[in-house]
Amino acid sequence: MHSTYNTDRLAAALLDLVGMLNSPRQDDVLLHEAGVSIDRALFPLLVRIGAAGSLSVVALAEQVGRDHSTVSRQTAKLADLGLVTRRPAVRDQRVREAVITADGRRAVKAITMARRRLLAKLLADWSVKDRETLARLNRRLAGAMMKARSSTVLE
């Protein structure tokens, strides 16, 4: 008989991790550390737009797992704050995309630096090898999940 002990332990750890990452408290800590004043529902979108330079609303919604109409409203808020601009996409004028602004880049940089500081504190007693292994295995798992999602294995 196949043991499910390790699979169950992994699933439990992932549930704990997702719960922590989705915690409003964690977002508040990160934004405070970054010195960025923004609605915590908006900053994951801003960070993803910043990483890409520009993203369509549909692509952004797919990445963050939200409805595209919600993401459209949220990108409008980011635009109102001067963190992104919205324009027709270069490849398809019917598609709207959000483009990071200079102020948006500064906010993303502050968030990135804060995330680095917080993770450095959290993992301070981990060896370099353990941190590298954690990053590699998390990237591998995320890649497998993205591949599974795109091939509808998880549906």
Side-chain angles (χ1 to χ4, degrees):
M1 182 173 151
H2 177 66
S3 172
T4 60
Y5 177 72
N6 285 333
T7 303
D8 292 343
R9 286 183 57 205
L10 175 60
L14 289 172
L15 285 173
D16 288 347
L17 186 59
V18 168
M20 290 299 297
L21 292 173
N22 286 334
S23 165
R25 171 76 178 118
Q26 290 299 116
D27 294 346
D28 290 342
V29 167
L30 177 59
L31 291 171
H32 177 76
E33 178 74 18
V36 173
S37 179
I38 187 174
D39 184 319
R40 64 178 167 254
L42 301 180
F43 91 87
L45 280 66
L46 179 64
V47 169
R48 288 188 183 266
I49 296 166
S54 68
L55 276 174
S56 74
V57 169
V58 172
L60 184 56
E62 173 83 12
Q63 287 185 20
V64 297
R66 297 180 190 165
D67 179 82
H68 78 277
S69 62
T70 299
V71 170
S72 181
R73 285 190 302 275
Q74 291 172 327
T75 57
K77 289 179 185 177
L78 289 170
D80 290 345
L81 294 170
L83 301 173
V84 302
T85 58
R86 293 169 44 151
R87 68 176 186 208
V90 174
R91 292 186 182 173
D92 184 346
Q93 299 288 305
R94 298 169 297 172
V95 175
R96 300 279 293 166
E97 67 181 3
V99 182
I100 194 81
T101 64
D103 285 345
R105 277 191 293 279
R106 281 190 287 278
V108 169
K109 183 175 181 179
I111 291 167
T112 299
M113 299 305 291
R115 182 179 293 116
R116 288 178 184 165
R117 288 190 301 273
L118 292 170
L119 280 171
K121 288 178 192 176
L122 186 66
L123 302 174
D125 62 343
W126 290 41
S127 70
V128 171
K129 183 179 179 188
D130 283 349
R131 284 180 280 179
E132 289 171 351
T133 300
L134 177 65
R136 180 178 53 79
L137 293 177
N138 273 306
R139 174 51 38 211
R140 184 175 169 188
L141 178 60
M145 292 175 79
M146 290 166 64
K147 183 178 178 183
R149 179 178 64 188
S150 67
S151 67
T152 66
V153 170
L154 294 178
E155 289 183 4

